[in-house]
Amino acid sequence: MAADEANATAARATPLAPLPDHRDVNMPWWQELWRRHAHITTPLRARGLPCDIEFGLSAYIVRVSLPDNSYLIISPPQEPSSDHPPGDPEGWIATREHPDDQTLFEVLYDSAPSDNPGARQHPEARHGGSAQPLIDAIDHRLAQLGLLPHPVVPYESPHVHPPQLTPPPPSQDAPGTPDRRPAYVYGDALRELTDRLNGAESHADAAALLHQILEPTDGLLAQLGEFFEAAGEKAKEDDGFDLSYDLADAAAEIRSRGEVLHVAEDRMRALTPLAPAPRLPSTPARAPSLPPRALPSAPPRHTR
C-alpha cells in the first residue's frame, strides 16, 4: 500500500514536457497540426521528451529532443510522399540522429508499406499508422540507451492512477430475493472521477484528472470512440447498417471532442491556483455538439 501511494505521488508530480517555444505556436495552422499529432506528442511529452512539429522533405514530421542532444524524427513516408492527411499516415518511420555526429543514424521503427511488391516488408508494417506500437518501440529503445527521462508503466497514466472501483452496497431485499439492482461499474467509475474533480484542491490535480479523459491513446474519450466503432461493426454482422452508421457517427463525434479539447489539460494546469472548495456531488451534463475543425488547405512551411 505504501509503495502504491509513493508511485501515485510520483506519477502526479511528473508534468508533460513543455510546448515548443517559437512564434508559430500561436499560429492557427500550427495549432491544427499539433492537434493532429497529439496522439504521438502527448505520450512522448509524458515521458519528459520535448516535441515539435516541422516540415520534412514532403510532409510534416515530429521532432523529439533527447537528453544527449540527439533527436528523433518521426515521420510518414517522405519519398514518395504520403497522400494521407497529417497525423494519420499509412505508416510511421522513426529514426535517431545527432546534429554533430553524422555517423549516428538509427532506424528505431518503420511501419511504412514498401512501394516495391517484391521487397520484404518490415515486421512493423502490420501496424500501419497505429501510434501505440510506435510509442512502445521508442520506449524500448530509449530505455536501452538510458535516454528516457520519465519511463511510463504500460497502461498506467503518467499523471494520476485511475480511480479504484468500490463494489456496490449489498442488496437490502429480503433474504432469497434476487438482487435486481443494475451494476453500472463504468458509470460508477466516471462518477467517482467527477467527484474527485469537484474536490480537487489545485488546477494541477484537475489537469491530471482531465488527462484520464483526454489522453489521445488510452483516455476515456479515445476508448469510448473505439467502443462505438466496435459496436457499429457488430451491428453490420446482422445487416444493421442504419444502426452501424449512427454508431460510427457517434464515434467520430466523440473523437472530434477529444481533438478540440486536446490542450485543455495544459490550459487547466496553467490557471491560477484554486482556493479550497467544499466537495460537491456530481451531476450529469452533456456537452453541446460542435462541428470538427478543418485543416488549413496550405499551411505555410515551418521556419525556426
Side-chain angles (χ1 to χ4, degrees), residues 193-201 209 277-283:
L193 198 67
T194 304
D195 287 341
R196 292 175 61 186
L197 180 60
N198 285 330
E201 296 182 354
L209 295 169
R279 187 166 177 166
L280 301 175
S282 61
T283 55

Side-chain angles (χ1 to χ4, degrees), residues 157-228:
S157 163
H159 293 291
V160 64
H161 285 232
Q164 299 297 314
L165 299 182
T166 55
S171 173
Q172 301 299 318
D173 294 334
T177 302
D179 185 0
R180 301 181 182 277
R181 181 182 184 272
Y184 298 110
V185 293
Y186 308 109
D188 289 343
L190 186 56
R191 186 175 295 107
E192 182 176 346
L193 198 67
T194 304
D195 287 341
R196 292 175 61 186
L197 180 60
N198 285 330
E201 296 182 354
S202 71
H203 287 98
D205 288 345
L209 295 169
L210 275 176
H211 180 85
Q212 291 288 327
I213 306 298
L214 301 176
E215 199 283 325
T217 303
D218 297 316
L220 185 144
L221 284 187
Q223 294 306 310
L224 195 57
E226 295 288 335
F227 177 85
F228 277 107

Side-chain angles (χ1 to χ4, degrees), residues 140-166:
H140 178 71
R141 182 55 180 152
L142 295 187
Q144 287 181 329
L145 297 170
L147 297 177
L148 205 57
H150 305 306
V152 176
V153 178
Y155 310 113
E156 180 178 281
S157 163
H159 293 291
V160 64
H161 285 232
Q164 299 297 314
L165 299 182
T166 55

Side-chain angles (χ1 to χ4, degrees), residues 58-76:
S58 61
Y60 285 96
I61 65 173
V62 177
R63 182 186 178 101
V64 185
S65 301
L66 299 178
D68 67 345
N69 293 325
S70 64
Y71 56 88
L72 301 181
I73 297 295
I74 304 172
S75 73

Side-chain angles (χ1 to χ4, degrees), residues 247-259 286-290 292:
L247 293 167
D249 288 345
E253 184 171 349
I254 288 167
R255 287 168 177 153
S256 175
R257 296 302 92 226
E259 291 173 352
R286 179 174 179 177
S289 177
L290 297 174

